[in-house]
Tab-separated table of all heavy atoms in Angstrom:
chain	number	residue	atom	x	y	z
A	115	GLY	N	-49.957	-127.692	32.980
A	115	GLY	CA	-49.369	-126.363	32.817
A	115	GLY	C	-48.345	-126.294	31.704
A	115	GLY	O	-47.394	-125.498	31.770
A	116	GLN	N	-48.524	-127.098	30.660
A	116	GLN	CA	-47.572	-127.139	29.554
A	116	GLN	C	-48.260	-126.677	28.258
A	116	GLN	O	-49.443	-126.381	28.238
A	116	GLN	CB	-47.024	-128.557	29.374
A	116	GLN	CG	-46.319	-129.109	30.605
A	116	GLN	CD	-45.944	-130.571	30.449
A	116	GLN	OE1	-46.288	-131.208	29.461
A	116	GLN	NE2	-45.245	-131.125	31.452
A	117	GLY	N	-47.480	-126.593	27.196
A	117	GLY	CA	-48.035	-126.273	25.895
A	117	GLY	C	-47.834	-124.839	25.470
A	117	GLY	O	-47.574	-124.547	24.293
A	118	TYR	N	-47.956	-123.892	26.404
A	118	TYR	CA	-47.783	-122.467	26.094
A	118	TYR	C	-46.912	-121.810	27.160
A	118	TYR	O	-46.715	-122.361	28.245
A	118	TYR	CB	-49.145	-121.768	26.022
A	118	TYR	CG	-50.007	-122.216	24.859
A	118	TYR	CD1	-51.015	-123.171	25.042
A	118	TYR	CD2	-49.804	-121.703	23.584
A	118	TYR	CE1	-51.793	-123.593	23.983
A	118	TYR	CE2	-50.592	-122.122	22.514
A	118	TYR	CZ	-51.575	-123.065	22.720
A	118	TYR	OH	-52.350	-123.477	21.664
A	119	ASP	N	-46.426	-120.622	26.851
A	119	ASP	CA	-45.584	-119.878	27.787
A	119	ASP	C	-46.399	-119.147	28.840
A	119	ASP	O	-45.829	-118.486	29.717
A	119	ASP	CB	-44.715	-118.863	27.026
A	119	ASP	CG	-43.730	-119.549	26.097
A	119	ASP	OD1	-43.329	-120.692	26.399
A	119	ASP	OD2	-43.373	-118.939	25.059
A	120	PHE	N	-47.698	-119.224	28.752
A	120	PHE	CA	-48.579	-118.559	29.724
A	120	PHE	C	-49.493	-119.621	30.338
A	120	PHE	O	-49.715	-120.692	29.758
A	120	PHE	CB	-49.410	-117.461	29.052
A	120	PHE	CG	-50.156	-117.918	27.819
A	120	PHE	CD1	-51.451	-118.425	27.913
A	120	PHE	CD2	-49.552	-117.866	26.570
A	120	PHE	CE1	-52.125	-118.859	26.789
A	120	PHE	CE2	-50.219	-118.299	25.436
A	120	PHE	CZ	-51.512	-118.800	25.539
A	121	SER	N	-50.004	-119.328	31.518
A	121	SER	CA	-50.856	-120.291	32.219
A	121	SER	C	-52.327	-120.084	31.847
A	121	SER	O	-52.752	-118.973	31.517
A	121	SER	CB	-50.688	-120.145	33.735
A	121	SER	OG	-51.078	-118.845	34.155
A	122	VAL	N	-53.082	-121.165	31.896
A	122	VAL	CA	-54.520	-121.120	31.618
A	122	VAL	C	-55.235	-121.909	32.709
A	122	VAL	O	-54.970	-123.101	32.906
A	122	VAL	CB	-54.833	-121.753	30.238
A	122	VAL	CG1	-56.333	-121.679	29.946
A	122	VAL	CG2	-54.044	-121.072	29.126
A	123	ASP	N	-56.118	-121.235	33.466
A	123	ASP	CA	-56.834	-121.943	34.523
A	123	ASP	C	-58.113	-122.569	33.970
A	123	ASP	O	-58.466	-122.395	32.801
A	123	ASP	CB	-57.143	-121.010	35.707
A	123	ASP	CG	-57.988	-119.811	35.299
A	123	ASP	OD1	-58.857	-119.952	34.404
A	123	ASP	OD2	-57.803	-118.722	35.880
A	124	LYS	N	-58.838	-123.288	34.831
A	124	LYS	CA	-60.017	-124.018	34.391
A	124	LYS	C	-61.106	-123.088	33.868
A	124	LYS	O	-61.788	-123.386	32.878
A	124	LYS	CB	-60.562	-124.878	35.538
A	124	LYS	CG	-59.730	-126.108	35.828
A	124	LYS	CD	-60.425	-127.002	36.844
A	124	LYS	CE	-59.624	-128.281	37.081
A	124	LYS	NZ	-60.298	-129.175	38.065
A	125	SER	N	-61.280	-121.963	34.547
A	125	SER	CA	-62.307	-121.018	34.119
A	125	SER	C	-61.993	-120.456	32.731
A	125	SER	O	-62.875	-120.360	31.867
A	125	SER	CB	-62.424	-119.878	35.132
A	125	SER	OG	-63.351	-118.908	34.690
A	126	GLN	N	-60.741	-120.093	32.518
A	126	GLN	CA	-60.336	-119.565	31.211
A	126	GLN	C	-60.468	-120.624	30.132
A	126	GLN	O	-60.906	-120.336	29.014
A	126	GLN	CB	-58.894	-119.048	31.279
A	126	GLN	CG	-58.718	-117.801	32.118
A	126	GLN	CD	-57.259	-117.439	32.299
A	126	GLN	OE1	-56.396	-118.318	32.414
A	126	GLN	NE2	-56.957	-116.142	32.342
A	127	PHE	N	-60.114	-121.866	30.467
A	127	PHE	CA	-60.178	-122.907	29.451
A	127	PHE	C	-61.623	-123.252	29.094
A	127	PHE	O	-61.905	-123.683	27.969
A	127	PHE	CB	-59.454	-124.172	29.921
A	127	PHE	CG	-59.217	-125.159	28.811
A	127	PHE	CD1	-58.147	-125.008	27.946
A	127	PHE	CD2	-60.085	-126.230	28.620
A	127	PHE	CE1	-57.928	-125.905	26.909
A	127	PHE	CE2	-59.877	-127.131	27.587
A	127	PHE	CZ	-58.796	-126.967	26.733
A	128	SER	N	-62.542	-123.066	30.040
A	128	SER	CA	-63.942	-123.304	29.702
A	128	SER	C	-64.401	-122.350	28.611
A	128	SER	O	-65.209	-122.707	27.745
A	128	SER	CB	-64.823	-123.146	30.948
A	128	SER	OG	-64.904	-121.786	31.352
A	129	TRP	N	-63.843	-121.116	28.620
A	129	TRP	CA	-64.158	-120.162	27.554
A	129	TRP	C	-63.438	-120.516	26.257
A	129	TRP	O	-63.958	-120.294	25.168
A	129	TRP	CB	-63.795	-118.738	27.986
A	129	TRP	CG	-64.821	-118.128	28.891
A	129	TRP	CD1	-64.745	-117.968	30.234
A	129	TRP	CD2	-66.098	-117.621	28.491
A	129	TRP	NE1	-65.884	-117.392	30.718
A	129	TRP	CE2	-66.738	-117.155	29.660
A	129	TRP	CE3	-66.766	-117.509	27.283
A	129	TRP	CZ2	-68.007	-116.590	29.648
A	129	TRP	CZ3	-68.038	-116.949	27.255
A	129	TRP	CH2	-68.646	-116.502	28.419
A	130	VAL	N	-62.245	-121.093	26.393
A	130	VAL	CA	-61.536	-121.552	25.191
A	130	VAL	C	-62.368	-122.627	24.485
A	130	VAL	O	-62.516	-122.624	23.255
A	130	VAL	CB	-60.142	-122.121	25.556
A	130	VAL	CG1	-59.501	-122.783	24.340
A	130	VAL	CG2	-59.241	-121.018	26.083
A	131	GLY	N	-62.931	-123.538	25.273
A	131	GLY	CA	-63.744	-124.590	24.691
A	131	GLY	C	-65.054	-124.075	24.112
A	131	GLY	O	-65.456	-124.446	23.012
A	132	SER	N	-65.737	-123.187	24.836
A	132	SER	CA	-67.058	-122.736	24.408
A	132	SER	C	-67.006	-121.620	23.374
A	132	SER	O	-68.015	-121.353	22.717
A	132	SER	CB	-67.869	-122.271	25.621
A	132	SER	OG	-67.195	-121.228	26.307
A	133	ALA	N	-65.852	-120.961	23.208
A	133	ALA	CA	-65.745	-119.907	22.182
A	133	ALA	C	-66.036	-120.470	20.798
A	133	ALA	O	-66.563	-119.771	19.927
A	133	ALA	CB	-64.354	-119.279	22.217
A	134	MET	N	-65.716	-121.731	20.590
A	134	MET	CA	-65.991	-122.363	19.311
A	134	MET	C	-67.490	-122.404	19.019
A	134	MET	O	-67.937	-122.154	17.893
A	134	MET	CB	-65.424	-123.776	19.304
A	134	MET	CG	-65.557	-124.501	17.989
A	134	MET	SD	-65.870	-126.265	18.197
A	134	MET	CE	-67.520	-126.271	18.851
A	135	THR	N	-68.295	-122.727	20.038
A	135	THR	CA	-69.743	-122.806	19.830
A	135	THR	C	-70.326	-121.430	19.520
A	135	THR	O	-71.277	-121.323	18.739
A	135	THR	CB	-70.442	-123.402	21.060
A	135	THR	OG1	-70.190	-122.574	22.214
A	135	THR	CG2	-69.919	-124.804	21.347
A	136	LEU	N	-69.769	-120.380	20.114
A	136	LEU	CA	-70.242	-119.027	19.814
A	136	LEU	C	-69.914	-118.644	18.376
A	136	LEU	O	-70.738	-118.038	17.679
A	136	LEU	CB	-69.614	-118.019	20.785
A	136	LEU	CG	-70.104	-118.064	22.230
A	136	LEU	CD1	-69.364	-117.021	23.063
A	136	LEU	CD2	-71.610	-117.815	22.291
A	137	GLY	N	-68.707	-118.985	17.923
A	137	GLY	CA	-68.341	-118.703	16.538
A	137	GLY	C	-69.248	-119.432	15.563
A	137	GLY	O	-69.689	-118.866	14.556
A	138	ALA	N	-69.553	-120.691	15.882
A	138	ALA	CA	-70.434	-121.473	15.014
A	138	ALA	C	-71.835	-120.880	14.975
A	138	ALA	O	-72.471	-120.826	13.922
A	138	ALA	CB	-70.477	-122.923	15.508
A	139	ALA	N	-72.323	-120.427	16.135
A	139	ALA	CA	-73.659	-119.844	16.185
A	139	ALA	C	-73.741	-118.546	15.379
A	139	ALA	O	-74.748	-118.272	14.728
A	139	ALA	CB	-74.060	-119.582	17.636
A	140	CYS	N	-72.677	-117.763	15.398
A	140	CYS	CA	-72.678	-116.471	14.710
A	140	CYS	C	-72.667	-116.611	13.188
A	140	CYS	O	-73.168	-115.729	12.478
A	140	CYS	CB	-71.475	-115.637	15.140
A	140	CYS	SG	-71.559	-115.021	16.837
A	141	VAL	N	-72.126	-117.696	12.680
A	141	VAL	CA	-71.927	-117.807	11.225
A	141	VAL	C	-73.073	-118.516	10.517
A	141	VAL	O	-73.223	-118.391	9.297
A	141	VAL	CB	-70.613	-118.549	10.920
A	141	VAL	CG1	-70.764	-120.057	11.137
A	141	VAL	CG2	-70.142	-118.275	9.502
A	142	CYS	N	-73.901	-119.243	11.242
A	142	CYS	CA	-74.885	-120.099	10.585
A	142	CYS	C	-75.848	-119.333	9.684
A	142	CYS	O	-76.174	-119.793	8.583
A	142	CYS	CB	-75.666	-120.893	11.637
A	142	CYS	SG	-74.739	-122.284	12.315
A	143	ILE	N	-76.324	-118.171	10.117
A	143	ILE	CA	-77.256	-117.406	9.290
A	143	ILE	C	-76.543	-116.733	8.120
A	143	ILE	O	-76.999	-116.844	6.969
A	143	ILE	CB	-78.028	-116.384	10.147
A	143	ILE	CG1	-78.981	-117.138	11.088
A	143	ILE	CG2	-78.804	-115.408	9.272
A	143	ILE	CD1	-79.763	-116.253	12.016
A	144	PRO	N	-75.412	-116.013	8.318
A	144	PRO	CA	-74.718	-115.428	7.162
A	144	PRO	C	-74.310	-116.460	6.111
A	144	PRO	O	-74.352	-116.169	4.912
A	144	PRO	CB	-73.484	-114.770	7.790
A	144	PRO	CG	-73.884	-114.484	9.196
A	144	PRO	CD	-74.778	-115.616	9.589
A	145	ILE	N	-73.932	-117.657	6.544
A	145	ILE	CA	-73.470	-118.649	5.572
A	145	ILE	C	-74.614	-119.093	4.669
A	145	ILE	O	-74.393	-119.506	3.520
A	145	ILE	CB	-72.840	-119.876	6.284
A	145	ILE	CG1	-71.848	-120.584	5.349
A	145	ILE	CG2	-73.897	-120.842	6.765
A	145	ILE	CD1	-70.658	-119.769	4.994
A	146	GLY	N	-75.858	-118.989	5.154
A	146	GLY	CA	-76.994	-119.336	4.321
A	146	GLY	C	-77.102	-118.466	3.085
A	146	GLY	O	-77.491	-118.929	2.009
A	147	PHE	N	-76.749	-117.199	3.217
A	147	PHE	CA	-76.765	-116.289	2.071
A	147	PHE	C	-75.568	-116.552	1.155
A	147	PHE	O	-75.687	-116.479	-0.072
A	147	PHE	CB	-76.763	-114.839	2.554
A	147	PHE	CG	-78.003	-114.449	3.293
A	147	PHE	CD1	-78.024	-114.397	4.681
A	147	PHE	CD2	-79.164	-114.135	2.609
A	147	PHE	CE1	-79.177	-114.044	5.371
A	147	PHE	CE2	-80.321	-113.774	3.284
A	147	PHE	CZ	-80.326	-113.735	4.673
A	148	LEU	N	-74.405	-116.833	1.746
A	148	LEU	CA	-73.209	-117.096	0.944
A	148	LEU	C	-73.380	-118.355	0.102
A	148	LEU	O	-72.924	-118.413	-1.045
A	148	LEU	CB	-71.982	-117.226	1.854
A	148	LEU	CG	-70.625	-117.352	1.152
A	148	LEU	CD1	-70.334	-116.092	0.339
A	148	LEU	CD2	-69.507	-117.595	2.172
A	149	ILE	N	-74.058	-119.362	0.657
A	149	ILE	CA	-74.311	-120.603	-0.075
A	149	ILE	C	-75.045	-120.328	-1.376
A	149	ILE	O	-74.728	-120.882	-2.432
A	149	ILE	CB	-75.126	-121.579	0.804
A	149	ILE	CG1	-74.272	-122.128	1.940
A	149	ILE	CG2	-75.684	-122.736	-0.029
A	149	ILE	CD1	-75.064	-122.873	2.983
A	150	ASN	N	-76.048	-119.463	-1.307
A	150	ASN	CA	-76.838	-119.154	-2.499
A	150	ASN	C	-76.136	-118.167	-3.420
A	150	ASN	O	-76.496	-118.060	-4.601
A	150	ASN	CB	-78.200	-118.596	-2.094
A	150	ASN	CG	-79.073	-119.635	-1.416
A	150	ASN	OD1	-78.988	-120.821	-1.731
A	150	ASN	ND2	-79.881	-119.206	-0.472
A	151	LEU	N	-75.145	-117.453	-2.907
A	151	LEU	CA	-74.444	-116.456	-3.709
A	151	LEU	C	-73.338	-117.085	-4.556
A	151	LEU	O	-73.254	-116.843	-5.768
A	151	LEU	CB	-73.860	-115.364	-2.801
A	151	LEU	CG	-73.125	-114.220	-3.510
A	151	LEU	CD1	-74.102	-113.430	-4.381
A	151	LEU	CD2	-72.458	-113.303	-2.481
Side-chain angles (χ1 to χ4, degrees):
Q116 301 173 355
Y118 293 98
D119 296 332
F120 52 90
S121 61
V122 181
D123 59 35
K124 286 187 177 181
S125 176
Q126 291 173 324
F127 193 82
S128 70
W129 281 103
V130 172
S132 58
M134 184 216 69
T135 60
L136 289 179
C140 290
V141 76
C142 283
I143 291 178
I145 205 65
F147 294 101
L148 186 63
I149 289 169
N150 292 328
L151 182 64

